[in-house]
Amino acid sequence: MREYLVWAEEKQIALGHFNISDSEGFKAVVEGAKELDVPVIIGVSEGERDFIGVQEVVALVRTEREKGLPVFLNADHTYSVEKVREAVDVGFDAVIIDGAAKSFEENLSMTSECVAYAKSKGSKVLVEAELGFIGQSSKILENIPEGVSEETQTKPEDAQRFVEETDIDLFAPSVGNIHGIVKGGEPNLNIERIKTIASVINVPLVLHGGSGITDVEFVAAIEAGIRIIHINTELRVAYKEGIKEGLKSGEIAPYKFLAEGVEEMKKVVQDKLKLFNKL
Ligand SMILES: [Zn+2]
């Protein structure tokens, strides 16, 4: 995954990160990436990984990688050091310790503990941390979540100190992005802030809360230095809508009524991958 991030930096593109909860989601992301011949990252939140199975999802990704696709697995938004340890031990490629809702000092110490654990295991796992709150739920929201404002966007000097002191591999800032899709419209991304943060830190930047952001903004964010973009809510909506259609057929074979969910999800994956990889 580290090598593909260097490659993304050289090409000035971003790797797509897509969340899944089950083997259908896995199929949608893998087929989407394979057909476009691009690397891809699969993310599972704590809830998602408990549903699909922690070891099971590692096995799925490894199998696909052995078959030739550069696909990597990320333990998305992990809220405790214990859960980070579990992800490292079972063989995830990357893990996010999310202390964004905590104070700067608490976030820093929790993140450092995770980095130390990964290193002590001699693991190749990449550790990502977030600084600046962007909300926590991947769903359709009525309003911008409480605690998210221009004030809570990540300050470049904080980003610099945080990255240096924790020695993390990936950094997720708050730059106008929000988890979930805000019904009344998303705030604009702070492109200048992304550029400034990218200029003062030496690790790749990750953009969370990609659902609901416009194509024009994505392109500007990639130009500014974003190297991984997370999409979840849009996939969930597409999957559900597809399955609803599938069920209308009266089919009782799951692989038949679920297939439309996979197709709809795959369309979203491919649209984003084309944009992020400049295809
Ligand atoms: Zn996220």
Side-chain angles (χ1 to χ4, degrees), residues 165-179:
E165 292 193 17
T166 56
D167 200 20
I168 47 171
D169 304 291
L170 297 162
F171 182 68
S174 162
V175 286
N177 48 327
I178 286 175
H179 279 133

Side-chain angles (χ1 to χ4, degrees), residues 72-87:
F72 304 98
L73 182 63
N74 179 38
D76 201 8
H77 298 286
T78 308
Y79 297 100
S80 67
V81 178
E82 292 69 41
K83 282 271 188 187
V84 167
R85 285 196 189 130
E86 177 187 53

Side-chain angles (χ1 to χ4, degrees), residues 188-255:
N188 292 328
L189 284 183
N190 189 340
I191 301 295
E192 284 309 310
R193 185 67 62 93
I194 298 173
K195 274 187 203 161
T196 314
I197 294 174
S199 72
V200 297
I201 65 170
N202 56 359
V203 298
L205 283 177
V206 183
L207 184 70
H208 284 248
S211 294
I213 291 174
T214 62
D215 287 3
V216 175
E217 282 196 299
F218 276 133
V219 171
I222 295 168
E223 292 298 317
I226 292 289
R227 293 294 163 251
I228 296 178
I229 300 176
H230 280 229
I231 303 287
N232 191 358
T233 312
E234 274 180 60
L235 294 179
R236 290 179 168 185
V237 172
Y239 186 40
K240 186 175 174 185
E241 290 306 315
I243 290 177
K244 271 194 204 163
E245 283 305 309
L247 286 169
K248 283 184 190 160
S249 66
E251 283 290 351
I252 60 157
Y255 70 88

Side-chain angles (χ1 to χ4, degrees), residues 8 11 30 50 55 68 104 107 131 146 151 153 176 188 192 201 236 266:
K11 290 193 70 177
V30 162
D50 284 344
Q55 283 164 297
F104 182 90
N107 188 357
L131 187 64
E146 212 176 304
E151 263 306 289
Q153 289 189 9
N188 292 328
E192 284 309 310
I201 65 170
R236 290 179 168 185
K266 190 167 139 186

